[in-house]
Amino acid sequence: MYPRFILRLLVWVPLLLLAGCDETPTGRSQLALVPHNMMAQMGEDAFEQLLSNQPVSRDAGANRLVQCVAQKVVAAAEASYPALEFPEAWEVVVFEESSPNAFALPGGRIGVHSGLLDVAETPAQLAAVIGHEVSHVLADHGNERLTQQLGIKAVLMLVGLLGEGDMGHHQLMQALGIGAQLGISLPFSRTHEEEADLMGLAIMARAGFDPQQSVALWRNMAAVGGGQPPEFLSTHPTHASRIKALQQGLEEATATYRSVAPANCSG
């Protein structure tokens, strides 16, 4: 039995590594080994758990605003990256939760906390957040982190080449980027955050939202977020460095924004 397992491992691991070596939409090399249909299933399962555990907002104005902004952002993402495979439809839900947060999951699920609407003061600022979160999905960051965090053994288990092991449900939720929603602290890496920021900036501009508002959003976040640890102690960029990186991408994004019709969303 053991030699047979070793043989399978020797055959499948190189194939998985070759199949998983890819590039993100920005051209960065990444290793993402989990099949996309499996990532979509995990995203669906995670979203169903959130729906069962967290109340959904009944605020009609908030729901109209979030649905409108999300629809325009997704359409712009599809136009920006026509070579990528997109879900047939995206499910968008506003959760009654005071923390200023949002997330997007593989398979086409977007969640927005009602508290974010107190910080994102304009539809464009909301678009900056949703564009950022959708970019995490487009760049396959959850898949990449699942591969990195859990290792080859876990990935082999996921694709059915190993029996059930030590990989827990919480680890999967962390890798999908929604650990914070469940009280599990594991943010995306700094590389992922910076990549999603710049992709999201381009997407919101193409959707007709003023990219300058992305900077305004993070200034608002800095105002309500209190002190942050030094950047070298955190995987997240500091608000200041995040704003600086966004400002460097504003010229191109603003040119895109001026070439399209302005978006019109209101609560």
Side-chain angles (χ1 to χ4, degrees):
M1 180 69 179
Y2 186 75
R4 183 179 301 174
F5 161 71
I6 293 296
L7 180 61
R8 293 173 69 190
L9 205 60
L10 290 174
V11 170
W12 279 101
V13 168
L15 291 176
L16 282 170
L17 289 173
L18 287 172
C21 290
D22 207 345
E23 288 187 349
T24 67
T26 66
R28 179 179 62 84
S29 296
Q30 71 175 173
L31 184 64
L33 299 179
V34 184
H36 287 171
N37 62 338
M38 191 169 292
M39 290 299 300
Q41 185 60 56
M42 285 190 288
E44 179 181 347
D45 293 344
F47 202 66
E48 288 300 319
Q49 180 179 347
L50 291 170
L51 285 172
S52 65
N53 292 337
Q54 296 192 11
V56 173
S57 173
R58 303 301 177 189
D59 185 320
N63 277 279
R64 281 196 304 271
L65 172 63
V66 171
Q67 292 288 341
C68 178
V69 171
Q71 182 182 33
K72 292 183 183 300
V73 166
V74 167
E78 292 176 347
S80 298
Y81 301 102
L84 296 182
E85 183 177 342
F86 282 80
E88 291 185 6
W90 289 71
E91 183 178 2
V92 183
V93 173
V94 182
F95 291 96
E96 196 62 54
E97 165 59 51
S98 62
S99 61
N101 207 352
F103 58 90
L105 297 176
R109 274 85 184 174
I110 295 172
V112 173
H113 289 185
S114 57
L116 177 62
L117 303 181
D118 296 326
V119 179
E121 297 174 344
T122 66
Q125 290 181 21
L126 178 61
V129 179
I130 295 178
H132 172 96
E133 297 302 331
V134 168
S135 294
H136 277 310
V137 175
L138 300 185
D140 221 7
H141 288 160
N143 193 336
E144 185 178 7
R145 184 163 61 174
L146 192 61
T147 302
Q148 293 171 346
Q149 291 290 125
L150 305 182
I152 296 293
K153 177 181 177 180
V155 174
L156 290 172
M157 190 200 82
L158 281 172
V159 299
L161 298 177
L162 284 178
E164 185 174 353
D166 297 328
M167 183 177 61
H169 174 72
H170 282 187
Q171 291 172 295
L172 289 174
M173 302 298 265
Q174 288 174 333
L176 289 172
I178 57 171
Q181 318 327 311
L182 302 173
I184 312 163
S185 178
L186 183 63
F188 277 112
S189 73
R190 189 181 305 174
T191 297
H192 290 165
E193 288 294 318
E194 291 171 349
E195 190 167 44
D197 274 345
L198 294 179
M199 288 177 62
L201 186 68
I203 289 171
M204 70 176 291
R206 187 155 189 168
F209 295 102
D210 184 358
Q212 297 276 352
Q213 289 294 304
S214 66
V215 174
L217 167 77
W218 284 106
R219 286 179 176 149
N220 292 349
M221 287 287 196
V224 301
Q228 286 186 315
E231 184 167 6
F232 69 89
L233 295 178
S234 173
T235 56
H236 268 249
T238 63
H239 293 315
S241 65
R242 185 168 231 152
I243 288 171
K244 182 178 179 180
L246 286 168
Q247 286 174 328
Q248 291 173 347
L250 278 179
E251 183 177 355
E252 182 177 351
T254 300
T256 299
Y257 169 63
R258 288 173 177 167
S259 71
V260 300
N264 182 18
C265 289
S266 59

